[in-house]
Amino acid sequence: MYDIKQIREDFPILSRSVYGKPLVYLDNGATTQKPRSVVDAIAEEYYSVNANVHRGVHFLSQQATDLHEASRERVRAFINARSTSEIIFTRGTTESINLVASSFVESQMQAGDEVIISQMEHHSNIVSWQLQAMKKGIILKVIPINDAGELLLDEFEKLITPRTKIVSVMHVSNVLGTINPIKQIIRIAHSHNVPVLIDGAQSVPHQKIDVQELDADFFVFSAHKMYGPTGIGVLYGKEAWLDKLPPYQGGGEMIQNVSFEKTTFNVLPFKFEAGTPDYIGTTAFAKAIDYVEALGLENIAAYEHELLTYATQEMKSIKGMRIIGEAEQKSGVISFLVGDIHHFDMGTLLDRLGIAVRTGHHCAEPLMRRMGIEGTVRASFGLYNTKEEINVLIEGIKRVQTMF
Ligand code: PMP
């Protein structure tokens, strides 16, 4: 059952106040708060297990390794990957994309080949490709969007040429909330034998993901946006692709044998995990997965959709309100501007009322340019937000309005 009172009690930070006002945390797109079970897991492992993982003969090292590898299995089951060989632990979405961009461009692309991204991408899914493109003369092509903030699929298909080697798009926009039709995108790309990377940073916390059903070639996300710890992320890749890609970083763990003349690499997933992994983080990450699965992703999605519908309707009743991103399929994110109040002023004044929202370009400057704006105020919902908090936000916006 979705017991919101109990849920909120699981997140101690939600009961604190800021500037003497109860905290209303609506910046979940940037990062989510952590339930007690996640934070406790970190302390418990440091207090009673801590030892470096893999290759250790002693008890603690084996126990830490078991926990770490059990977390990998937990992630595998969570997104329904075929094998734990396909689950690479990284620092987050950003590192996962950089890894693929680097290894894929190096091994699979030649000068003049093309990568397709979209107009609404986060900088991490733009600049990672640009860095590689600059080195090798790769061309970046961009799927356009309509004014509601939806990808133009017909235009997408027209962009594909024999030189298209990969498509890399986000599942859910961190600015517009648009849920992109990735199944269709993957199907279209595959019909041209082009693999697809999906940036799932903003979808994994809010809907059930099945990488096999999607048939995604690569799927990336961050633990901290789904109630887990910072510093941990996932690169899911189909084994056939990961086998073809060269290592991203060199160091311990990723090798089989090293000599000064020749080094051979470890098997998957370790080939891509150089150095000591954040094994404490992976244990806590597994707890975050336990948490959202106990609530049920379908229930979370339904609850957040209700919040989105309510908030959208209430916000539209505010004079001068402009919502940026009105896609038919939308996740719990509302970007907005009110009259000619600068987004930064709105955010700063809402903060004084205890309301945490994000302002600015949200790491999506090309999208801002497309929408003809410099930035927005963004409220993004999580599984613990309430209609009462939305009411506080609405009242807050109205109050700020009276100050101008
Ligand atoms: N992609 C999207 C869609 C995001 O929203 C974010 C975080 N704002 C990222 C990538 C980057 O995630 P991280 O900072 O956890 O690497």
Side-chain angles (χ1 to χ4, degrees), residues 125-178:
N125 198 22
I126 302 173
V127 185
S128 313
W129 294 105
Q130 278 175 334
L131 288 176
Q132 304 306 324
M134 280 190 288
K135 286 188 209 159
K136 216 166 176 180
I138 302 295
I139 297 154
L140 225 57
K141 288 178 142 184
V142 182
I143 310 169
I145 61 173
N146 63 21
D147 292 338
E150 296 164 313
L151 294 179
L152 299 176
L153 282 192
D154 292 346
E155 299 301 316
F156 164 53
E157 193 150 17
K158 284 186 215 154
L159 291 178
I160 302 176
T161 74
R163 305 235 44 179
T164 306
K165 292 293 183 278
I166 190 165
V167 173
S168 189
V169 291
M170 65 195 342
H171 191 176
V172 171
S173 165
N174 59 314
V175 179
L176 309 165
T178 310

Side-chain angles (χ1 to χ4, degrees), residues 79-311:
I79 59 169
N80 194 32
R82 245 181 224 104
S83 144
T84 48
S85 301
E86 301 182 318
I87 304 297
I88 316 288
F89 284 124
T90 64
R91 283 195 302 119
T93 305
T94 303
E95 189 175 58
S96 298
I97 299 175
N98 275 277
L99 189 165
V100 176
S102 169
S103 295
F104 191 94
V105 171
E106 181 189 331
S107 62
Q108 310 294 317
M109 297 183 75
Q110 307 299 330
D113 283 346
E114 300 156 358
V115 177
I116 298 180
I117 58 171
S118 90
Q119 180 83 54
M120 65 173 81
E121 295 311 312
H122 187 276
H123 291 163
S124 59
N125 198 22
I126 302 173
V127 185
S128 313
W129 294 105
Q130 278 175 334
L131 288 176
Q132 304 306 324
M134 280 190 288
K135 286 188 209 159
K136 216 166 176 180
I138 302 295
I139 297 154
L140 225 57
K141 288 178 142 184
V142 182
I143 310 169
I145 61 173
N146 63 21
D147 292 338
E150 296 164 313
L151 294 179
L152 299 176
L153 282 192
D154 292 346
E155 299 301 316
F156 164 53
E157 193 150 17
K158 284 186 215 154
L159 291 178
I160 302 176
T161 74
R163 305 235 44 179
T164 306
K165 292 293 183 278
I166 190 165
V167 173
S168 189
V169 291
M170 65 195 342
H171 191 176
V172 171
S173 165
N174 59 314
V175 179
L176 309 165
T178 310
I179 303 173
N180 287 322
I182 54 166
K183 229 175 145 171
Q184 234 172 314
I185 290 171
I186 291 168
R187 195 158 37 74
I188 293 170
H190 284 179
S191 73
H192 296 268
N193 289 321
V194 176
V196 181
L197 181 151
I198 300 295
D199 170 358
Q202 298 291 345
S203 65
V204 170
H206 309 288
Q207 65 181 87
K208 180 77 193 129
I209 298 296
D210 181 330
V211 289
Q212 290 190 66
E213 195 212 328
L214 286 172
D215 204 17
D217 300 279
F218 302 99
F219 192 100
V220 301
F221 57 103
S222 302
H224 72 96
K225 290 183 198 283
M226 51 168 295
Y227 314 98
T230 52
I232 277 287
V234 173
L235 160 61
Y236 158 81
K238 283 184 184 166
E239 202 164 338
W241 275 114
L242 294 176
D243 271 336
K244 277 188 217 165
L245 302 188
Y248 175 55
Q249 294 179 329
E253 303 278 355
M254 52 76 71
I255 52 86
Q256 209 155 43
N257 294 105
V258 178
S259 72
F260 290 119
E261 291 72 37
K262 183 174 165 56
T263 290
T264 52
F265 304 125
N266 206 341
V267 294
L268 290 173
F270 310 109
K271 179 173 92 173
F272 291 107
E273 295 182 348
T276 300
D278 184 357
Y279 53 86
I280 305 278
T282 54
T283 303
F285 185 13
K287 294 287 179 195
I289 295 174
D290 289 345
Y291 192 88
V292 294
E293 286 208 325
L295 282 179
L297 274 152
E298 288 79 8
N299 298 330
I300 293 170
Y303 180 76
E304 290 178 350
H305 189 73
E306 216 178 288
L307 289 181
L308 174 69
T309 307
Y310 178 70

Side-chain angles (χ1 to χ4, degrees), residues 5 38 69 81 98 123 129 148 272 288 309 333 360 367 377 394 397:
K5 188 165 171 290
V38 167
E69 291 306 322
N98 275 277
H123 291 163
W129 294 105
F272 291 107
T309 307
V333 177
L367 174 61
V377 188
I394 301 295
I397 296 170

